[in-house]
Each structure stands twice: as structure tokens, then as C-alpha cells.
Amino acid sequence: MAWCTRAPPIGGDLLRQTLRQQIMSSSAQLQRLADSAGSLLNCAGLVLEHATGEQQQKLLLTIREHMLEYARMHVEVQQSTEVLQQVKDEAVVSITNGTDTDLTQMLDETQRRTAQRMANVSERELTTYPRYQQLLQREEAAGSAAAAAAGDQELVMTETHMVTRDPWSQQEIRQPYRNARCGHLYDRSSLEAVLQKRSRRPTCPHVGCTNKMPLRWEDLTEDTFAKQAIEKKKTQA
């Protein structure tokens, strides 16, 4: 669809109306994504309340993956809206100057620029999505409550069997992060160094681990229960 304008006010008004509808559609998409992410968060609450053990971990992992996909779609819609606004402003200037404007080409340009922006969005940035953070907070709260209910006896047993040395640095873990796929612990500082420096993601380095999936931040959560056990072990040393 293309038009040639010699009367800028008419072409400009039509352009603004068409692209305004596109932007309003983006706002509706953001609201639907927020509603869906909210429903997924409620599902996580049910899993934390009723599921246990390995089944709970598998379900939570699936929920995290879906939540990150919502995060990616949310960012993409936001980026697309910003780019669309830029393209619209550029087109209005072109129309004012008497230049032909092709709406299809404008929308293609919007998609191209949006794709360029999304290529620079890292998985770690997606984990800052508010709903994803709320999910992690719910998991942490549930873990803390379970730890408190288990009492000191379970903590002592955990201290006895827990591997508290980081597999990369071989130093005592200070800030433990647990891999949801295999349950092994790592120190956050080592994770940051390994995941930032290596172009190819490593797998779990613990000897004998059967988990061959590459390490990803979305599979790693801070383990406050393990941190309590490590701190108590230090005080007793």
C-alpha cells in the first residue's frame, strides 16, 4: 500500500492514524502478556504448595522457561513500539517534504530495526523481567519456609552431606547458587566468570554429574538454605 502526497496535512494525518492503531495494538499485546504471566505466577504458587521433590523442580523449571519467553515477547513488543514511533516521526518528515511514503516498507523497516535490537538482548537481561523476579521470590520464600519447618536437625544433616567447595575455584562457597537441573551448588563469583568468558557454555563440572545441559542463568537460583548450612559450618570449624 503506497501513496504520494502533495498535500502534506492529508498524508500526514492518514499516516498518524494508521500507525497510532499499530501502537494501540502493541499496548493491548503488553496487557495480554502481563495477564498471562500473572496466571503463570499463580500456577507456580500451586506447584510450590502441592508438588514436592523432583516433580516440583521439573514443573518449576518449565514455568521459568515459559516466564522467560513471556519476558522476551514483552521486550520485543516494547522495542517494536519504540521503533515504530521513530519510523512514524521519520515518515511524517518525509511527507512534509513531499516525499512518497510506502506503509509496507515502513512496517518492514520497523521489523528490521526491532530484530537488530532484540539480537542484543541477553538472557540475563530477560531475568530482570518483574514477573520472573516475582517467581524467584516466591520460590525463595517457599524454600525459606520449608527450611524453617525442617528445623536444625535437617540443617545438621545437610551440613554433613553438602559439597561446600566450588568446583572451579576449589574454594569454600560464599554465595551458593543451585542448578535446578541437577541440584549441584556453585559460587556466584565463579559462575559469573565462567559464563562471561566462555563463548561456549559449559556443563556442570561436578564429577559424575549426569546433567549435560549447558549452564544457564535461568536454571540457577540462590540457595538460602545452603547458605545457612555453610555459615553454620564455618562457625563450628
Side-chain angles (χ1 to χ4, degrees):
M1 178 190 218
W3 61 85
C4 210
T5 65
R6 295 302 176 191
I10 297 176
D13 288 345
L14 180 58
L15 177 67
R16 290 187 185 93
Q17 181 180 358
T18 302
L19 296 185
R20 188 180 298 116
Q21 291 174 352
Q22 292 283 337
I23 293 173
M24 290 177 63
S25 175
S26 296
S27 298
Q29 289 181 53
L30 287 175
Q31 184 57 55
R32 287 195 295 271
L33 284 171
D35 292 342
S36 297
S39 297
L40 192 60
L41 194 59
N42 291 335
C43 288
L46 293 174
V47 169
L48 289 168
E49 183 177 355
H50 299 290
T52 57
E54 184 178 353
Q55 181 191 32
Q56 184 189 76
Q57 291 303 313
K58 287 182 178 179
L59 290 171
L60 289 175
L61 177 59
T62 300
I63 290 174
R64 284 190 219 115
E65 291 174 345
H66 284 303
M67 192 68 84
L68 282 174
E69 186 57 31
Y70 282 137
R72 182 176 295 279
M73 289 188 286
H74 182 92
V75 172
E76 187 169 5
V77 173
Q78 284 185 322
Q79 297 288 354
S80 178
T81 302
E82 291 179 10
V83 171
L84 188 60
Q85 184 64 50
Q86 292 176 357
V87 172
K88 184 192 79 170
D89 294 342
E90 293 169 5
V92 169
V93 172
S94 296
I95 290 174
T96 304
N97 293 331
T99 305
D100 294 350
T101 303
D102 187 318
L103 181 58
T104 301
Q105 290 181 356
M106 290 171 53
L107 295 179
D108 288 344
E109 177 64 12
T110 299
Q111 291 180 349
R112 186 187 69 80
R113 294 188 194 180
T114 301
Q116 283 183 334
R117 289 191 178 194
M118 290 303 297
N120 295 322
V121 176
S122 67
E123 289 187 2
R124 191 165 187 184
E125 287 179 84
L126 296 179
T127 62
T128 63
Y129 180 52
R131 291 293 194 186
Y132 187 83
Q133 288 297 314
Q134 290 173 9
L135 173 61
L136 295 185
Q137 289 168 8
R138 284 200 177 188
E139 291 184 31
E140 183 177 352
S144 298
D152 289 340
Q153 183 176 0
E154 183 177 349
L155 189 60
V156 170
M157 292 177 64
T158 303
E159 292 168 10
T160 304
H161 298 92
M162 183 185 299
V163 176
T164 59
R165 284 189 178 275
D166 177 76
W168 288 289
S169 68
Q170 292 302 310
Q171 301 297 315
E172 285 292 313
I173 294 174
R174 295 185 177 183
Q175 192 172 2
Y177 269 65
R178 188 175 296 279
N179 191 332
R181 292 184 179 274
C182 60
H184 285 127
L185 290 173
Y186 325 101
D187 191 86
R188 181 184 173 90
S189 61
S190 293
L191 282 171
E192 290 178 338
V194 168
L195 294 178
Q196 286 176 3
K197 292 181 179 179
R198 299 191 184 183
S199 57
R200 188 174 182 180
R201 293 177 186 169
T203 57
C204 178
H206 280 278
V207 177
C209 182
T210 58
N211 171 33
K212 301 305 178 185
M213 293 296 293
L215 289 171
R216 305 186 308 169
W217 278 110
E218 52 264 38
D219 297 334
L220 302 163
T221 53
E222 186 172 12
D223 193 323
T224 55
F225 184 56
K227 190 173 184 178
Q228 291 176 20
I230 292 170
E231 290 298 327
K232 188 170 183 180
K233 181 180 178 181
K234 287 180 181 178
T235 60
Q236 293 176 347

